[in-house]
Amino acid sequence: MSARKTLQAKPEEGDKYSVLLPTYNERENLPLIVWLLVKYFEESGYNYEIIVIDDGSPDGTLEVAVQLQNIYGGDKILLRPRPTKLGLGTAYIHGMKHATGNFIFIMDADLSHHPKFIPEFIAKQKEGDYDLVSGTRYRGNGGVYGWDLRRKLISRGANFLTQVLLRPGASDLTGSFRLYKKKVLESLVERCVSKGYVFQMEMIVRARQLNYTVGEVPISFVDRVYGESKLGGNEIVSFVKGLLTLFVTT
Amino acid sequence: MTKLMEWLFGVSVVLAAWVLIAFDPLDLSVPHTYREVAFPMPLYLLVSFGCYSLATVGYRVATFNDCQEAAEELQAQIKEAKQDLRRKGLKI
Protein backbone atom coordinates (compact mmCIF):
# COMPACT_ATOMS: atom_id res chain seq x y z
CA MET A 1 0.00 0.00 0.00
CA SER A 2 1.20 3.51 -0.70
CA ALA A 3 2.95 5.11 2.25
CA ARG A 4 1.23 8.35 1.34
CA LYS A 5 -2.30 7.12 2.05
CA THR A 6 -2.53 9.20 5.22
CA LEU A 7 -2.02 12.35 3.18
CA GLN A 8 -4.09 11.44 0.23
CA ALA A 9 -7.72 12.42 -0.06
CA LYS A 10 -9.63 10.46 -2.63
CA PRO A 11 -9.82 12.47 -5.85
CA GLU A 12 -13.38 13.73 -6.06
CA GLU A 13 -15.30 13.81 -9.26
CA GLY A 14 -15.35 17.29 -10.66
CA ASP A 15 -12.38 18.82 -8.82
CA LYS A 16 -9.80 20.15 -11.21
CA TYR A 17 -6.62 22.02 -10.34
CA SER A 18 -5.26 24.70 -12.66
CA VAL A 19 -1.62 25.61 -12.05
CA LEU A 20 -0.73 29.16 -13.05
CA LEU A 21 2.93 29.53 -14.04
CA PRO A 22 3.94 33.08 -14.88
CA THR A 23 7.32 32.88 -16.58
CA TYR A 24 10.04 35.28 -17.59
CA ASN A 25 13.28 33.83 -18.94
CA GLU A 26 12.67 30.35 -17.56
CA ARG A 27 13.79 28.42 -20.59
CA GLU A 28 15.88 26.03 -18.51
CA ASN A 29 13.52 25.64 -15.59
CA LEU A 30 10.18 25.38 -17.37
CA PRO A 31 10.58 21.81 -18.67
CA LEU A 32 11.73 20.70 -15.23
CA ILE A 33 8.89 22.27 -13.28
CA VAL A 34 6.38 20.91 -15.79
CA TRP A 35 7.92 17.42 -15.55
CA LEU A 36 7.65 17.54 -11.75
CA LEU A 37 4.08 18.86 -11.86
CA VAL A 38 3.03 16.11 -14.24
CA LYS A 39 4.78 13.50 -12.10
CA TYR A 40 3.05 14.44 -8.85
CA PHE A 41 -0.35 15.11 -10.36
CA GLU A 42 -0.36 11.83 -12.30
CA GLU A 43 0.72 9.92 -9.20
CA SER A 44 -2.02 11.49 -7.11
CA GLY A 45 -4.75 11.00 -9.67
CA TYR A 46 -6.10 14.54 -9.43
CA ASN A 47 -7.37 16.24 -12.55
CA TYR A 48 -5.13 19.15 -13.57
CA GLU A 49 -3.93 21.59 -16.18
CA ILE A 50 -0.82 23.76 -16.33
CA ILE A 51 -1.20 27.30 -17.68
CA VAL A 52 2.03 28.96 -18.78
CA ILE A 53 1.85 32.75 -18.89
CA ASP A 54 5.00 33.89 -20.58
CA ASP A 55 5.71 37.62 -20.74
CA GLY A 56 7.57 37.75 -24.02
CA SER A 57 10.73 36.11 -22.67
CA PRO A 58 13.66 36.88 -24.95
CA ASP A 59 15.33 33.55 -24.13
CA GLY A 60 12.75 31.48 -25.99
CA THR A 61 10.75 30.20 -22.99
CA LEU A 62 7.61 30.16 -25.10
CA GLU A 63 9.23 27.94 -27.72
CA VAL A 64 10.11 25.41 -25.01
CA ALA A 65 6.54 25.67 -23.72
CA VAL A 66 5.23 24.74 -27.17
CA GLN A 67 7.48 21.65 -27.20
CA LEU A 68 6.12 20.67 -23.79
CA GLN A 69 2.62 21.08 -25.11
CA ASN A 70 3.44 18.63 -27.89
CA ILE A 71 4.82 16.14 -25.40
CA TYR A 72 2.10 16.31 -22.76
CA GLY A 73 -0.92 17.40 -24.74
CA GLY A 74 -2.75 20.64 -25.28
CA ASP A 75 -5.33 19.73 -22.66
CA LYS A 76 -2.67 19.52 -19.95
CA ILE A 77 -0.40 22.38 -21.01
CA LEU A 78 -2.11 25.63 -21.92
CA LEU A 79 -0.25 28.64 -23.24
CA ARG A 80 -1.42 32.16 -22.46
CA PRO A 81 1.53 34.33 -23.48
CA ARG A 82 1.71 38.11 -23.27
CA PRO A 83 3.85 40.42 -25.40
CA THR A 84 5.88 42.09 -22.62
CA LYS A 85 6.67 41.88 -18.92
CA LEU A 86 3.53 42.97 -17.12
CA GLY A 87 2.52 42.57 -13.48
CA LEU A 88 1.92 39.38 -11.52
CA GLY A 89 -1.66 40.29 -10.68
CA THR A 90 -2.57 40.76 -14.32
CA ALA A 91 -0.76 37.50 -15.14
CA TYR A 92 -3.07 35.67 -12.74
CA ILE A 93 -6.13 37.38 -14.19
CA HIS A 94 -5.00 36.58 -17.71
CA GLY A 95 -4.21 32.98 -16.85
CA MET A 96 -7.48 32.43 -15.04
CA LYS A 97 -9.62 33.63 -17.91
CA HIS A 98 -9.49 30.26 -19.65
CA ALA A 99 -8.75 28.08 -16.64
CA THR A 100 -11.17 25.17 -16.41
CA GLY A 101 -10.24 24.17 -12.87
CA ASN A 102 -12.28 25.06 -9.80
CA PHE A 103 -9.05 25.36 -7.84
CA ILE A 104 -5.98 27.39 -8.75
CA PHE A 105 -2.37 26.78 -7.71
CA ILE A 106 0.03 29.64 -7.93
CA MET A 107 3.74 29.01 -7.66
CA ASP A 108 7.14 30.08 -8.95
CA ALA A 109 8.46 28.48 -12.10
CA ASP A 110 12.11 28.60 -11.02
CA LEU A 111 12.07 25.36 -9.01
CA SER A 112 12.12 27.16 -5.65
CA HIS A 113 8.66 25.67 -5.05
CA HIS A 114 8.47 21.89 -5.31
CA PRO A 115 5.37 20.18 -6.74
CA LYS A 116 5.77 17.34 -4.23
CA PHE A 117 3.79 19.51 -1.80
CA ILE A 118 0.77 19.64 -4.09
CA PRO A 119 -0.98 16.59 -2.60
CA GLU A 120 -0.40 18.12 0.86
CA PHE A 121 -1.98 21.38 -0.21
CA ILE A 122 -4.97 19.52 -1.61
CA ALA A 123 -5.38 17.40 1.51
CA LYS A 124 -5.15 20.47 3.73
CA GLN A 125 -7.73 22.31 1.67
CA LYS A 126 -10.16 19.43 1.91
CA GLU A 127 -9.53 19.05 5.63
CA GLY A 128 -11.03 22.43 6.45
CA ASP A 129 -12.63 23.42 3.15
CA TYR A 130 -10.21 26.34 3.21
CA ASP A 131 -10.69 29.20 0.79
CA LEU A 132 -6.96 29.42 0.45
CA VAL A 133 -3.98 27.33 1.53
CA SER A 134 -0.64 29.07 1.92
CA GLY A 135 2.76 27.41 1.82
CA THR A 136 4.85 28.54 4.77
CA ARG A 137 8.62 28.48 5.14
CA TYR A 138 8.44 29.57 8.76
CA ARG A 139 6.39 26.89 10.55
CA GLY A 140 6.49 23.15 11.07
CA ASN A 141 9.21 21.59 8.97
CA GLY A 142 9.05 24.35 6.42
CA GLY A 143 12.38 25.96 5.63
CA VAL A 144 14.80 27.30 3.07
CA TYR A 145 17.90 26.04 1.32
CA GLY A 146 20.58 28.38 0.03
CA TRP A 147 20.14 31.39 2.29
CA ASP A 148 23.04 32.91 4.21
CA LEU A 149 22.70 34.46 7.66
CA ARG A 150 22.04 37.95 6.31
CA ARG A 151 19.19 36.75 4.12
CA LYS A 152 17.63 34.75 6.94
CA LEU A 153 17.88 37.70 9.30
CA ILE A 154 16.21 40.04 6.81
CA SER A 155 13.50 37.50 6.11
CA ARG A 156 12.67 36.80 9.75
CA GLY A 157 12.97 40.45 10.67
CA ALA A 158 10.64 41.53 7.91
CA ASN A 159 8.19 38.79 8.79
CA PHE A 160 8.26 39.79 12.47
CA LEU A 161 7.55 43.42 11.58
CA THR A 162 4.70 42.28 9.37
CA GLN A 163 3.22 40.12 12.12
CA VAL A 164 3.37 42.97 14.63
CA LEU A 165 1.86 45.57 12.32
CA LEU A 166 -0.70 43.52 10.44
CA ARG A 167 -1.46 40.55 12.73
CA PRO A 168 -2.45 38.63 9.61
CA GLY A 169 -3.16 35.20 11.06
CA ALA A 170 -0.76 33.56 8.61
CA SER A 171 2.91 32.87 9.24
CA ASP A 172 4.33 33.45 5.75
CA LEU A 173 2.91 36.48 3.99
CA THR A 174 5.39 36.94 1.20
CA GLY A 175 5.31 33.33 0.06
CA SER A 176 3.85 32.68 -3.38
CA PHE A 177 3.13 28.96 -3.31
CA ARG A 178 -0.60 28.84 -2.70
CA LEU A 179 -3.81 27.06 -3.51
CA TYR A 180 -6.96 29.11 -3.96
CA LYS A 181 -10.56 28.32 -4.73
CA LYS A 182 -10.98 29.87 -8.15
CA LYS A 183 -13.75 32.25 -7.09
CA VAL A 184 -11.67 33.41 -4.13
CA LEU A 185 -8.61 34.17 -6.27
CA GLU A 186 -10.77 36.05 -8.76
CA SER A 187 -12.30 38.25 -6.09
CA LEU A 188 -8.96 38.92 -4.38
CA VAL A 189 -6.90 39.78 -7.45
CA GLU A 190 -9.41 42.44 -8.42
CA ARG A 191 -8.94 44.21 -5.10
CA CYS A 192 -5.16 44.10 -4.80
CA VAL A 193 -3.10 47.00 -6.03
CA SER A 194 0.44 46.37 -4.74
CA LYS A 195 3.43 45.01 -6.62
CA GLY A 196 6.03 42.35 -5.97
CA TYR A 197 6.34 40.87 -2.48
CA VAL A 198 3.70 43.19 -1.15
CA PHE A 199 1.14 41.91 -3.67
CA GLN A 200 1.28 38.45 -2.08
CA MET A 201 0.97 40.03 1.37
CA GLU A 202 -1.99 42.11 0.30
CA MET A 203 -3.76 39.01 -1.04
CA ILE A 204 -3.73 37.39 2.39
CA VAL A 205 -4.61 40.56 4.26
CA ARG A 206 -7.61 41.14 1.98
CA ALA A 207 -8.58 37.49 2.27
CA ARG A 208 -8.76 38.00 6.03
CA GLN A 209 -10.79 41.15 5.60
CA LEU A 210 -13.30 39.27 3.49
CA ASN A 211 -13.42 36.51 6.11
CA TYR A 212 -11.94 33.88 3.85
CA THR A 213 -10.39 30.93 5.69
CA VAL A 214 -6.66 30.35 5.37
CA GLY A 215 -4.88 27.04 5.92
CA GLU A 216 -1.13 26.48 5.98
CA VAL A 217 1.24 23.79 4.73
CA PRO A 218 4.97 23.80 5.59
CA ILE A 219 7.08 23.87 2.43
CA SER A 220 10.76 23.80 1.61
CA PHE A 221 11.99 26.67 -0.53
CA VAL A 222 15.13 25.92 -2.55
CA ASP A 223 16.59 29.19 -3.66
CA ARG A 224 17.87 29.65 -7.17
CA VAL A 225 19.06 26.42 -8.56
CA TYR A 226 20.62 28.13 -11.51
CA GLY A 227 21.75 31.47 -10.21
CA GLU A 228 22.06 34.04 -7.51
CA SER A 229 19.09 35.69 -5.85
CA LYS A 230 19.80 39.14 -4.51
CA LEU A 231 17.93 41.10 -1.93
CA GLY A 232 19.21 44.64 -2.23
CA GLY A 233 18.46 47.91 -0.47
CA ASN A 234 15.88 48.89 -3.07
CA GLU A 235 13.77 45.83 -2.45
CA ILE A 236 13.90 46.32 1.30
CA VAL A 237 12.80 49.95 0.95
CA SER A 238 9.91 49.10 -1.33
CA PHE A 239 8.90 46.27 1.00
CA VAL A 240 8.74 48.64 3.98
CA LYS A 241 6.81 51.20 1.94
CA GLY A 242 4.35 48.52 0.87
CA LEU A 243 4.00 47.21 4.42
CA LEU A 244 3.29 50.70 5.78
CA THR A 245 0.75 51.28 3.03
CA LEU A 246 -1.07 48.10 4.01
CA PHE A 247 -0.83 49.13 7.67
CA VAL A 248 -2.51 52.44 6.96
CA THR A 249 -5.09 51.29 4.44
CA THR A 250 -6.33 47.91 5.66
CA MET B 1 -10.97 50.03 11.42
CA THR B 2 -7.57 49.94 9.81
CA LYS B 3 -4.58 48.46 11.62
CA LEU B 4 -3.21 51.96 12.09
CA MET B 5 -6.43 53.04 13.79
CA GLU B 6 -6.41 49.98 16.02
CA TRP B 7 -2.87 50.82 17.09
CA LEU B 8 -3.68 54.47 17.71
CA PHE B 9 -6.69 53.46 19.76
CA GLY B 10 -4.70 50.95 21.80
CA VAL B 11 -1.86 53.41 22.37
CA SER B 12 -4.33 56.13 23.43
CA VAL B 13 -5.95 53.83 25.97
CA VAL B 14 -2.58 52.86 27.46
CA LEU B 15 -1.39 56.48 27.49
CA ALA B 16 -4.59 57.68 29.13
CA ALA B 17 -4.30 55.04 31.83
CA TRP B 18 -0.66 56.02 32.37
CA VAL B 19 -1.39 59.72 32.69
CA LEU B 20 -4.27 59.04 35.05
CA ILE B 21 -2.23 56.88 37.40
CA ALA B 22 1.22 58.44 37.14
CA PHE B 23 0.18 62.08 37.30
CA ASP B 24 -3.20 61.91 39.00
CA PRO B 25 -4.51 64.95 37.11
CA LEU B 26 -8.02 64.48 38.45
CA ASP B 27 -6.83 64.42 42.05
CA LEU B 28 -8.23 60.97 42.76
CA SER B 29 -5.69 60.47 45.56
CA VAL B 30 -3.87 57.72 43.70
CA PRO B 31 -1.54 56.05 46.24
CA HIS B 32 2.09 57.17 45.94
CA THR B 33 3.40 53.66 45.28
CA TYR B 34 1.06 53.28 42.29
CA ARG B 35 2.31 56.55 40.87
CA GLU B 36 5.92 55.53 41.37
CA VAL B 37 5.43 52.21 39.61
CA ALA B 38 3.33 53.65 36.82
CA PHE B 39 5.62 56.51 35.94
CA PRO B 40 8.42 54.60 34.15
CA MET B 41 6.02 52.06 32.63
CA PRO B 42 5.98 53.35 29.05
CA LEU B 43 9.76 53.19 28.94
CA TYR B 44 9.78 49.73 30.52
CA LEU B 45 7.20 48.50 28.04
CA LEU B 46 9.17 49.84 25.09
CA VAL B 47 12.40 48.30 26.31
CA SER B 48 10.67 44.99 27.05
CA PHE B 49 9.15 44.96 23.60
CA GLY B 50 12.55 45.69 22.12
CA CYS B 51 14.10 42.79 24.02
CA TYR B 52 11.23 40.49 23.07
CA SER B 53 11.64 41.42 19.43
CA LEU B 54 15.37 40.77 19.42
CA ALA B 55 14.96 37.48 21.24
CA THR B 56 12.15 36.31 18.97
CA VAL B 57 13.86 37.21 15.70
CA GLY B 58 17.15 35.79 17.00
CA TYR B 59 15.48 32.53 17.96
CA ARG B 60 13.68 32.29 14.64
CA VAL B 61 16.85 32.90 12.66
CA ALA B 62 18.73 30.32 14.71
CA THR B 63 16.04 27.69 14.21
CA PHE B 64 15.37 28.46 10.55
CA ASN B 65 15.27 25.07 8.86
CA ASP B 66 18.00 24.43 6.30
CA CYS B 67 16.48 22.12 3.77
CA GLN B 68 19.57 20.20 2.76
CA GLU B 69 17.74 17.04 1.69
CA ALA B 70 15.21 19.03 -0.29
CA ALA B 71 18.03 20.58 -2.32
CA GLU B 72 19.67 17.20 -2.93
CA GLU B 73 16.39 15.57 -3.86
CA LEU B 74 15.76 18.38 -6.31
CA GLN B 75 19.15 17.96 -7.96
CA ALA B 76 18.55 14.24 -8.39
CA GLN B 77 15.11 14.82 -9.84
CA ILE B 78 16.46 17.43 -12.24
CA LYS B 79 18.82 14.81 -13.69
CA GLU B 80 16.02 12.30 -13.96
CA ALA B 81 13.72 14.86 -15.55
CA LYS B 82 16.29 15.89 -18.16
CA GLN B 83 16.85 12.30 -19.24
CA ASP B 84 13.16 11.56 -19.42
CA LEU B 85 12.40 14.74 -21.34
CA ARG B 86 15.15 14.06 -23.83
CA ARG B 87 13.67 10.63 -24.42
CA LYS B 88 10.28 12.19 -24.96
CA GLY B 89 11.75 14.44 -27.63
CA LEU B 90 12.48 17.72 -25.89
CA LYS B 91 15.27 19.69 -27.50
CA ILE B 92 16.95 22.03 -25.03
Side-chain angles (χ1 to χ4, degrees):
Chain A
M1 266 318 230
S2 164
R4 290 148 66 99
K5 67 179 174 192
T6 45
L7 283 177
Q8 192 116 309
K10 190 164 164 301
E12 271 168 33
E13 286 299 317
D15 278 341
K16 185 171 182 182
Y17 299 87
S18 302
V19 181
L20 298 185
L21 278 184
T23 60
Y24 191 74
N25 284 344
E26 296 290 1
R27 188 199 179 85
E28 291 201 47
N29 290 326
L30 185 61
L32 304 171
I33 187 79
V34 166
W35 187 87
L36 286 168
L37 282 166
V38 169
K39 172 185 159 79
Y40 287 97
F41 268 115
E42 293 291 335
E43 267 172 25
S44 66
Y46 293 116
N47 198 3
Y48 70 102
E49 63 185 0
I50 301 170
I51 303 176
V52 179
I53 305 134
D54 185 55
D55 281 0
S57 298
D59 72 346
T61 302
L62 190 56
E63 189 254 324
V64 169
V66 171
Q67 287 193 55
L68 290 167
Q69 205 175 32
N70 292 333
I71 294 174
Y72 291 109
D75 59 327
K76 289 284 181 267
I77 315 279
L78 277 62
L79 305 182
R80 296 278 172 265
R82 303 192 299 179
T84 56
K85 197 160 200 265
L86 302 165
L88 198 58
T90 50
Y92 293 155
I93 294 174
H94 185 73
M96 270 194 290
K97 271 204 196 97
H98 304 276
T100 55
N102 54 331
F103 288 99
I104 310 272
F105 270 102
I106 64 155
M107 62 192 299
D108 291 350
D110 62 359
L111 297 174
S112 51
H113 296 143
H114 198 303
K116 70 178 175 180
F117 294 106
I118 283 179
E120 293 183 37
F121 274 86
I122 295 177
K124 185 70 184 178
Q125 191 281 323
K126 290 192 186 305
E127 183 190 303
D129 193 27
Y130 291 107
D131 295 311
L132 89 90
V133 180
S134 169
T136 174
R137 296 158 292 176
Y138 299 131
R139 298 234 333 260
N141 58 0
V144 178
Y145 175 81
W147 279 6
D148 59 8
L149 188 63
R150 174 182 174 267
R151 186 75 179 79
K152 285 183 186 177
L153 195 57
I154 294 175
S155 179
R156 284 294 199 175
N159 182 259
F160 181 78
L161 189 59
T162 305
Q163 295 292 331
V164 167
L165 288 180
L166 300 182
R167 299 184 335 267
S171 62
D172 190 347
L173 280 237
T174 53
S176 48
F177 191 177
R178 298 183 184 163
L179 170 61
Y180 290 87
K181 289 183 181 170
K182 187 176 179 200
K183 289 197 186 62
V184 171
L185 183 58
E186 281 168 346
S187 87
L188 287 175
V189 171
E190 273 176 12
R191 293 159 206 270
C192 291
V193 296
S194 329
K195 308 262 172 264
Y197 291 122
V198 188
F199 172 75
Q200 301 293 358
M201 285 166 55
E202 194 184 354
M203 294 282 277
I204 292 211
V205 169
R206 301 243 176 250
R208 283 300 194 193
Q209 271 184 329
L210 296 168
N211 287 319
Y212 288 133
T213 52
V214 179
E216 291 195 314
V217 165
I219 57 162
S220 56
F221 181 93
V222 177
D223 202 347
R224 294 303 180 177
V225 179
Y226 286 112
E228 277 291 310
S229 160
K230 280 200 319 190
L231 191 67
N234 276 337
E235 276 154 311
I236 296 179
V237 166
S238 63
F239 169 83
V240 173
K241 273 165 63 175
L243 176 58
L244 290 176
T245 306
L246 284 177
F247 179 61
V248 171
T249 59
T250 62
Chain B
M1 223 197 223
T2 63
K3 289 288 180 290
L4 174 62
M5 307 244 311
E6 285 178 20
W7 266 87
L8 288 176
F9 179 72
V11 167
S12 314
V13 167
V14 170
L15 268 179
W18 177 65
V19 166
L20 228 75
I21 300 178
F23 298 101
D24 200 8
L26 303 177
D27 258 323
L28 296 167
S29 311
V30 177
H32 194 63
T33 42
Y34 281 38
R35 293 173 68 181
E36 272 194 351
V37 168
F39 184 66
M41 267 308 164
L43 189 61
Y44 283 0
L45 287 173
L46 268 167
V47 171
S48 305
F49 178 70
C51 293
Y52 166 76
S53 304
L54 282 175
T56 303
V57 174
Y59 173 75
R60 288 175 179 174
V61 170
T63 56
F64 211 152
N65 277 334
D66 269 316
C67 305
Q68 182 70 29
E69 320 92 46
E72 288 165 2
E73 176 192 42
L74 182 61
Q75 289 300 337
Q77 285 181 323
I78 287 175
K79 285 201 180 74
E80 191 191 337
K82 282 182 172 169
Q83 284 175 353
D84 192 37
L85 286 166
R86 243 176 245 127
R87 255 186 300 122
K88 289 187 158 89
L90 187 77
K91 303 194 185 0
I92 303 183

